[in-house]
Amino acid sequence: MLLNLIRKLAAASLLVFIASATASAQTLVFTAIPDEDETKLVERFKGIADYLSGELDVDVRYIPVKSYAAAISAFRNNQVQLAWFGGLSGVQARELVPGSEAIAQGVEDTAFYSHIIAHKSTGLDEMENLSDELRDKTFTFGSKGSTSGRLIPEYYIREAFGESPEDVFARVGFSGNHTRTLRLVEAGTYDVGAINFSVWDKEMENNNIDTDAVKVIWTTPSYPNYQWTIRGDVNERFGEGFSQRVQEALLAMDDPALLESFPRSGFIPVSNDAYDPIRVVGKQIGIID
Amino acid sequence: MLSYPTVRTSLIFTAIALVGLLFADIAITAANPWKDLGRFFLGVVTPDFFSTQGLATALLRTVAFAFVGVALGSVCGFLLALVYRAYPVRIFCAFIRAIHELFWALIFLQFFGFHPLTGVLAIAIPYSGIFAKVYSEILEEADPEPGRLLPPGTGVISAFLYARIPDCWVQIRTYTAYRLECGLRSSAILGFVGLPTLGFYLESAFSQGHYSDAGAMLILFYVLIATLPLWVKPKLLPVYILGAPFFLGDGMPIVWGNVTRFFTEDIVPSPLKNEEGWAGMGTWLGDVFVNQALPGIWNTVILTQIALVATGLIALLAFPLISTHFGGPIRRTSGHVFLVILRSTPEYILAYILLQLWGPSMLPAVVALALHNGGIIGHLIGRQSSSIALRPDAPTGLNRYTYELVPRVYRSFLAFLFYRWEIIMRETAILGILGIYTLGFYVDSAIQNIQFDKAMLLILITASLNIGVDILGRFIRRKLALQTMPTC
Amino acid sequence: MSGFDLTGLSASFGGERVIGPLSLSVKAGEKVALVGRSGAGKSTLIRLVYQEVESLASLVPQDLGLVNALPVFHNVYMGRLDAHPTWYNVLTLMRPFAKDNREVKDLLSELAMPEKVWIPAASLSGGQRQRVAIARALYRKSGLLLADEPVSALDGPMAHQIMRLLKERFQTSVIALHDVELALEYCTRIVGIQDGQVALDEPSEKLTPADIMPLY
C-alpha cells in the first residue's frame, strides 16, 4: 500500500519536471494588461500574434492573464518578453527589469484621458471641477493597477478634495476593468466610476452604452498612457537587432482591423522618459515605493 | 436552559454576531439585483455547453491539478504525520495550513509564474498540513495493543506496516477521498488567479454576463463532483495519478533566478532593502499595521463571526431536509440534491456570483459562507439525526424537531461549527480578493502594487489570526467536551 | 532457559496498589496456573512478568491485540516479524511466501480453523479470534508462554484441545485461568492470587478444587 503510494509520488514529481522542460525556447511570448473583457482581448491579441509572427519569423504566442500584477510579474520573470502595458504598469515593469524599453505607443496614447461617469439616478451633471456633489456617492475604479482607471482619477480626486477616495466616497470599489466599470455604473451598482476615454468611445460607437442611464460628468487633463514594452535581453536570445525589428513591425502595423481592435489609429515610437509624469504621480499616491 | 454551557456559548456567539452586524457593511447596492439573479438562474437552466472553447480542457486541467496536488499533499502529509508528535512539526503544519490555497498560488505566481508547479504546490502545501494533522489523529486513535505484542526486535517499518496502518487504512482512505473532493474545489478556484482551471473561464463568463456559459460550467462541475464515487475507483487510482501530470498543461518555463530573487529581494521589507535602518522599519511596520492590517483584521473578524452564526442557522434549518424523520423519500432526495449543490459550490465562487449580482458589501460574503458551510454541517447532522431511533409515539412536526431532534444533535452540531470556525475565517480572509475589505483585499492590493514585502507580512498576519482562532476553537470544543471528526 | 526469577513485582493504578510487592520464580519446564477472583491482579501480574522477560515470552493477552483489518494469516505471521528483514515483511504483506503460508496453515489446522486463513480478523467470532491469538503465540516458537484466559471463549472440548496443545508446545507457561478444573488438569503448579498477593502456591497434584475455592 505504502510502496504503491511512494512509487506514484516519484513518478508524478518526475513528470511535472519533464513537462516543465519541454516548452520551446524560441517562442516570443507576450501578454497584455487585462483592461477589457477577455474575449475582446483574446481576439485582439491573437491577431497581433499572427501579425508579429509573420513579420519577425519567430513563433509568437499571446498568453492572457487575470490581473495587471500578473502581467508585470510574467514580464519581470522573463516568461513573457513583450507586453502591452498601461502607463503605470509599464513604469512598474521597467523599474523591475533594468534594460527594458518602451518601444511604441498608440497615437492616442500621447494625450490620453479618463472620464468620470455617473448613473442618472445621482442627478449629477457635467461639472467644471470635481465638486462636493460627489461626496458620499459610491465610486468604482477599474483595476487596482490601472493608470486610466485608477491612478490618474485618484490623483485628481485627491487634488480636488485633499482627501483619499475612501474618505470622499461612501464606498470605493475596484471593478476589475473598464468594461466592467461601465456596466456597473450603467446598472446603478455604483453611482460614479472612472473609465478611460478609449473604451468609452469604442463602446459608444458600437452602441453598447445605454446613454439614458449613464453619462460623462468630468474628464481629466491628458497624460501619456499605453505602450509596448520589451525586455532588454531579447537581442541575446532572438538575435542582434531583434528589439528594433519588433519596434519596426509595430510601427508598420497598418491593418485597419487590427488597429481598430485596440482602438488606435497607429503606433509611434516612444521612450521610457515619456512616462516620468506617471512615475511621479504613482510615488505621490504611494502605489510606487 | 441558561444553565447549559452549550446554550450559553451559543447565545454569547449570537450576541457577538448581532453586535458585529451594527458595524458590518451589509447592503444590496445593485440597482436591479433580482433582475440579474433571474438572468443568472435563466442561464443555469439554459446552459450552453459549446460556446466556450477549451471548456473540456479546463475540466481536465481542474481534475489533473486536483489529483496531483492532493496526491502530493497526502504523501507529504503522511510523512509529516509520522513525526507529528514533535512540537516544531506541529507548528509548521499549523502554519502551512493556515494559509489559503489562493494565497499560496499568489505567492508561487510571483516566481514560478504560470507553470503547473504553481497550481500543484498551491494545493499540495496547505493540504500537507491538513493531512498531517488528520492522519496523525487517525493513527493516534489506532489500538496500540498489537504494536505492544510484537516480538522485540521487530523493525520499525515492519511494526508500523503490520500493527498500525491496517486498522487505520479505511479511515485514511475515506478521508483522502473526501479531500480529493475538496481538492477539486480548490483546483477550480485557482483559475480565478489565472491558472488554466475552471475558475479562469467561469470568471470570464461571469464578468461578461454570459450566464448560459457560466451555468454550463457550474453544471459540469457539479456532475464531476457528484459522480466522483463512480469514476474514482481504487484500481483506477494509479492510472489517474500517473496520468494526471500529463494534463497539467505546459504553462511557461520556470526561471530559477526568479525564485532566488523573490526570497532574497522581493520579500525583504523595503526599508531594509533601501538601508533606512530600524527607524525606517518602524515607520513601515506602523504604516502597514495601521492602514492595512488593522482594518483588515477588524473586517475579517466581524465578517467571520456573522458568517459563523449564519452558518449555524442555515445548518439547523437545513438538516431536516435529509433527515428520515421528516417528509417522504421524494422530499428527502430533493433535499439531498440541494445540500450537495450547496456543499459542492466553493464559497469563493458563490461569493463571486453574489457579488456580481448584488453589488459589493459584506452581504454576499456572509450568504456565500453560510450557504456553503451550513450545507456541509446540515448534511452531516442530518445524516446523524437519521440514525436516531425515536419512540413510536414521538411527536411529529415542529415538536419533533424542537423536542426530539435538536437537543440530541446539538452537541455534534456545535462541534462541527467550531471545527469550521477556522475554515470560515480562512475563507473570509481570501474573499477580500473579490473586493470586500478583509485581509485578502490588502494582500491583493499589495501584490497589485508589486509590494511583495507588504503582501508577505499581511499573509503572515492572516495566518497567525487563523492559528489563533483554531486554538480558540479547540479550547471551546474541549471546554464543552465536544468531539468531532474533521471535515474540510 | 525459559524460567525466570522475579522479585519486587508491584503495580499501582490511580495511586492505589493493585498488586505486590511480590516475588515469582518459575523454573524451566513448570506449567503455572494463576487462579483467583477476577480483579485479584492476575492480568496485571501477567503484564508485569511480560515486561520483565519480553524477548523470551509469547503473550496471549485478554484483549488479544489482533489487527482487525488484516487477515488471519498476517495476524499469525506477526508473531515472528523480528525473524525477517523489512523487505521480506513488506512483500509478505502484499503476497505471502509459500513456505510461511504452509506453516501458518498447518498451525491453523491444529486449531481447527484452516479455512479461515484469508478472513479478516474483524469478521471472526470470539472463539476464533482467541485461537488466532493463540496461533500467533505458537508461531512465535518461544519457550515461555504468558497467557491471560486464553480459552475463556471456547467450548469444552475445544478448550481442552487447546490447553493440551499449549502444554505440549511450550516448555514453560504461566496461564491465568478462572476454570479450576482446567488449571488442575493441564498445569503442574497452582499460584493463587488474592488482593494482589500470593495466597497459595502448591504443586497441582497436592490440590483439589475444594482447596482452591476459598480464593473465589
Side-chain angles (χ1 to χ4, degrees):
Chain A
M1 296 175 276
L2 192 63
L3 274 188
N4 248 348
L5 279 176
I6 293 169
R7 271 205 303 267
K8 285 168 198 162
L9 165 72
S13 50
L14 189 70
L15 289 171
V16 170
F17 282 103
I18 291 173
S20 71
T22 51
S24 156
Q26 273 318 310
T27 305
L28 175 72
V29 187
F30 76 99
T31 190
I33 49 171
D35 60 341
E36 279 187 72
D37 277 357
E38 196 162 293
T39 30
K40 289 176 195 157
L41 294 180
V42 170
E43 198 179 306
R44 177 198 298 170
F45 290 108
K46 285 265 152 62
I48 298 292
D50 291 343
Y51 169 79
L52 284 180
S53 163
E55 296 284 307
L56 298 170
D57 278 337
V58 292
D59 281 339
V60 180
R61 185 174 150 206
Y62 162 70
I63 56 158
V65 292
K66 281 284 179 199
S67 71
Y68 284 46
I72 298 171
S73 286
F75 183 79
R76 180 191 194 196
N77 291 341
N78 202 7
Q79 292 185 317
V80 304
Q81 293 78 43
L82 175 71
W84 173 244
F85 281 129
L88 173 63
S89 41
V91 168
Q92 287 170 316
R94 288 190 296 274
E95 206 135 280
L96 293 167
V97 184
S100 55
E101 292 286 341
I103 50 173
Q105 65 175 175
V107 174
E108 291 78 355
D109 292 308
T110 49
F112 211 81
Y113 44 92
S114 303
H115 293 314
I116 303 290
I117 56 175
H119 188 250
K120 66 160 191 296
S121 68
T122 58
L124 291 170
D125 234 324
E126 259 183 81
M127 46 182 78
E128 192 77 13
N129 298 304
L130 291 172
S131 73
D132 275 345
E133 287 172 89
L134 284 172
R135 271 192 193 277
D136 296 328
K137 297 279 184 285
T138 58
F139 184 92
T140 184
F141 289 114
S143 164
K144 287 173 188 167
S146 167
T147 312
S148 49
R150 186 213 177 160
L151 180 75
I152 299 297
E154 177 165 348
Y155 174 76
Y156 285 109
I157 288 166
R158 281 173 186 269
E159 196 185 57
F161 295 96
E163 292 169 49
S164 73
E166 286 79 14
D167 296 326
V168 175
F169 300 109
R171 184 195 298 279
V172 174
F174 293 91
S175 70
N177 66 46
H178 297 288
T179 325
R180 240 137 98 196
T181 301
L182 175 57
R183 297 291 158 243
L184 289 173
V185 177
E186 196 179 48
T189 306
Y190 285 98
D191 298 331
V192 186
I195 183 177
N196 81 34
F197 85 102
S198 150
V199 172
W200 174 267
D201 285 358
K202 193 169 70 172
E203 294 289 303
M204 198 62 120
E205 217 167 277
N206 299 338
N207 284 322
N208 281 338
I209 300 178
D210 176 2
T211 44
D212 289 337
V214 57
K215 67 172 169 188
V216 174
I217 57 166
W218 191 73
T219 300
T220 64
S222 71
Y223 53 90
N225 203 355
Y226 291 81
Q227 84 295 144
W228 288 99
T229 294
I230 194 163
R231 286 182 62 96
D233 51 13
V234 283
N235 290 347
E236 291 159 35
R237 187 151 156 199
F238 295 92
E240 206 43 52
F242 187 79
S243 173
Q244 181 122 28
R245 287 175 56 214
V246 174
Q247 185 180 31
E248 282 161 9
L250 290 169
L251 299 181
M253 197 189 298
D254 57 3
D255 178 351
L258 273 185
L259 290 172
E260 185 53 36
S261 71
F262 272 90
R264 297 290 186 272
S265 49
F267 290 101
I268 55 172
V270 72
S271 71
N272 292 358
D273 301 337
Y275 293 91
D276 274 344
I278 298 288
R279 183 206 318 277
V280 172
V281 173
K283 281 218 160 109
Q284 276 179 19
I285 292 185
I287 296 177
I288 300 176
D289 273 331
Chain B
M1 290 294 272
L2 276 177
S3 59
Y4 287 97
T6 46
V7 175
R8 269 208 308 267
T9 311
S10 314
L11 287 178
I12 291 171
F13 271 83
T14 312
I16 293 174
L18 287 175
V19 173
L21 273 178
L22 298 178
F23 295 97
D25 165 29
I26 300 279
I28 292 185
T29 51
N32 290 311
W34 307 114
K35 193 179 99 194
D36 281 332
L37 200 62
R39 279 176 55 212
F40 166 62
F41 281 116
L42 191 68
V44 173
V45 294
T46 57
D48 183 350
F49 292 96
F50 301 104
S51 77
T52 309
Q53 276 184 344
L55 182 52
T57 323
L59 276 176
L60 199 63
R61 299 245 191 284
T62 307
V63 175
F65 274 107
F67 265 104
V68 179
V70 174
L72 196 62
S74 76
V75 172
C76 298
F78 187 81
L79 297 176
L80 284 169
L82 301 180
V83 287
Y84 200 70
R85 231 166 258 183
Y87 208 63
V89 176
R90 269 167 198 265
I91 294 180
F92 173 74
C93 291
F95 177 72
I96 58 174
R97 70 171 178 264
I99 297 176
H100 193 278
E101 298 93 272
L102 272 182
F103 281 146
W104 281 113
L106 284 174
I107 293 171
F108 286 119
L109 272 176
Q110 306 316 324
F111 50 90
F112 286 153
F114 294 100
H115 187 274
L117 213 50
T118 296
V120 168
L121 292 180
I123 297 177
I125 290 179
Y127 277 44
S128 302
I130 300 168
F131 274 129
K133 176 173 168 233
V134 176
Y135 284 168
S136 82
E137 280 167 8
I138 293 175
L139 288 173
E140 225 153 75
E141 275 170 31
D143 181 10
E145 185 72 2
R148 282 205 282 263
L149 288 176
L150 290 176
T154 304
V156 181
I157 295 176
S158 297
F160 186 72
L161 287 182
Y162 276 79
R164 195 114 293 211
I165 285 292
D167 275 342
C168 303
W169 188 247
V170 172
Q171 255 181 303
I172 289 181
R173 214 176 53 192
T174 313
Y175 184 73
T176 311
Y178 175 60
R179 287 307 299 184
L180 182 64
E181 190 192 316
C182 307
L184 279 171
R185 286 201 284 272
S186 302
S187 170
I189 64 162
L190 289 182
F192 279 80
V193 294
L195 286 152
T197 61
L198 198 64
F200 189 96
Y201 299 92
L202 202 58
E203 203 255 3
S204 305
F206 252 107
S207 59
Q208 298 174 59
H210 299 163
Y211 293 128
S212 291
D213 299 5
M217 290 177 212
L218 283 175
I219 288 172
L220 287 177
F221 187 62
Y222 295 138
V223 170
L224 195 68
I225 287 186
T227 56
L228 213 54
L230 297 178
W231 54 274
V232 179
K233 302 270 185 198
K235 283 212 174 111
L236 290 174
L237 218 48
V239 180
Y240 288 138
I241 294 178
L242 287 178
F246 291 103
F247 295 97
L248 295 171
D250 294 340
M252 297 275 116
I254 289 180
V255 183
W256 291 100
N258 295 332
V259 183
T260 326
R261 186 206 61 213
F262 182 79
F263 287 103
T264 56
E265 294 172 33
D266 290 0
I267 60 171
V268 177
S270 65
L272 294 187
K273 232 173 355 200
N274 302 338
E275 288 170 9
E276 290 166 28
W278 292 106
M281 191 71 191
T283 328
W284 183 80
L285 276 176
D287 175 60
V288 176
F289 265 96
V290 172
N291 292 321
Q292 290 158 36
L294 287 180
I297 291 173
W298 172 248
N299 287 320
T300 305
V301 169
I302 286 189
L303 182 47
T304 303
Q305 291 315 110
I306 298 174
L308 183 73
V309 172
T311 298
L313 289 177
I314 296 269
L316 283 179
L317 288 176
F319 88 83
L321 287 179
I322 63 158
S323 174
T324 48
H325 298 300
F326 300 96
I330 295 173
R331 217 188 77 190
R332 266 205 309 282
T333 309
S334 39
H336 229 95
V337 171
F338 178 65
L339 288 189
V340 165
I341 287 182
L342 286 189
R343 195 179 89 162
S344 309
T345 317
E347 49 265 78
Y348 192 83
I349 291 181
L350 212 50
Y352 178 80
I353 294 173
L354 294 176
L355 270 169
Q356 300 298 311
L357 301 177
W358 293 348
S361 86
M362 283 188 181
L363 184 67
V366 170
V367 174
L369 289 165
L371 284 179
H372 175 75
N373 294 296
I376 290 178
I377 300 179
H379 202 267
L380 290 168
I381 57 172
R383 256 195 339 218
Q384 194 187 340
S385 79
S386 299
S387 65
I388 296 172
L390 293 181
R391 63 196 153 88
D393 59 342
T396 54
L398 192 62
N399 287 335
R400 168 174 292 196
Y401 176 76
T402 48
Y403 276 80
E404 295 283 347
L405 293 178
V406 170
R408 287 192 169 115
V409 296
Y410 200 74
R411 293 183 66 79
S412 44
F413 158 74
L414 275 190
F416 286 126
L417 197 58
F418 282 118
Y419 181 82
R420 292 198 75 79
W421 195 8
E422 184 242 343
I423 299 169
I424 291 176
M425 176 165 277
R426 201 164 47 197
E427 289 291 336
T428 304
I430 208 75
L431 291 182
I433 297 181
L434 297 175
I436 303 153
Y437 285 63
T438 59
L439 279 161
F441 176 86
Y442 298 96
V443 172
D444 182 56
S445 298
I447 288 177
Q448 293 298 324
N449 293 347
I450 322 288
Q451 293 165 328
F452 301 125
D453 47 353
K454 270 188 199 170
M456 281 310 263
L457 179 62
L458 289 166
I459 287 178
L460 291 183
I461 290 172
T462 311
S464 328
L465 194 62
N466 287 336
I467 291 175
V469 163
D470 191 23
I471 293 172
L472 194 58
R474 233 170 322 144
F475 172 77
I476 294 177
R477 267 166 29 214
R478 207 172 29 228
K479 191 108 198 201
L480 297 177
L482 303 170
Q483 277 240 318
T484 172
M485 267 316 282
T487 64
C488 79
Chain C
M1 219 323 269
S2 57
F4 55 85
D5 184 3
L6 301 171
T7 54
L9 293 170
S10 74
S12 306
F13 196 76
E16 205 167 313
R17 167 126 333 155
V18 289
I19 193 160
L22 59 76
S23 305
L24 186 65
S25 165
V26 174
K27 284 194 277 296
E30 275 189 311
K31 325 275 187 199
V32 180
L34 294 181
V35 295
R37 201 183 297 152
S38 55
K42 291 175 301 198
S43 300
T44 314
L45 184 56
I46 296 267
R47 284 256 170 227
L48 283 175
V49 173
Y50 182 67
Q51 276 164 22
E52 296 294 328
V53 300
E54 221 173 42
S55 56
L56 300 173
S58 299
L59 178 69
V60 181
Q62 204 162 20
D63 50 11
L64 307 177
L66 299 184
V67 179
N68 289 322
L70 284 182
V72 169
F73 172 87
H74 290 103
N75 271 292
V76 175
Y77 178 82
M78 282 168 74
R80 230 153 58 199
L81 274 184
D82 58 336
H84 304 288
T86 300
W87 64 266
Y88 189 94
N89 290 336
V90 172
L91 285 183
T92 300
L93 202 54
M94 294 187 239
R95 198 192 152 82
F97 291 90
K99 175 175 72 76
D100 302 320
N101 199 352
R102 221 169 21 250
E103 203 176 339
V104 169
K105 222 164 179 172
D106 290 346
L107 198 51
L108 290 172
S109 300
E110 290 187 80
L111 297 167
M113 52 183 305
E115 75 287 358
K116 301 287 185 196
V117 63
W118 297 118
I119 307 284
S123 40
L124 296 177
S125 72
Q128 288 166 338
R129 291 172 60 84
Q130 213 163 35
R131 277 179 282 162
V132 173
I134 287 165
R136 184 183 60 207
L138 287 168
Y139 188 71
R140 173 118 187 244
K141 289 185 186 146
S142 66
L144 172 64
L145 171 71
L146 298 174
D148 191 355
E149 301 292 355
V151 294
S152 59
L154 300 176
D155 57 20
M158 184 57 81
H160 281 277
Q161 189 185 332
I162 301 291
M163 284 305 292
R164 207 156 36 235
L165 198 63
L166 291 179
K167 183 173 182 181
E168 193 178 297
R169 293 291 164 85
F170 288 98
Q171 191 196 8
T172 314
S173 54
V174 178
I175 306 179
L177 282 169
H178 67 272
D179 186 322
V180 175
E181 272 173 48
L182 281 179
L184 287 171
E185 186 171 349
Y186 295 100
C187 298
T188 57
R189 176 178 160 199
I190 307 289
V191 174
I193 306 290
Q194 198 166 33
D195 300 331
Q197 291 296 336
V198 176
L200 171 83
D201 191 350
E202 295 285 345
S204 41
E205 60 258 29
K206 286 197 188 161
L207 296 170
T208 63
D211 299 325
I212 301 172
M213 270 351 261
L215 292 171
Y216 285 87

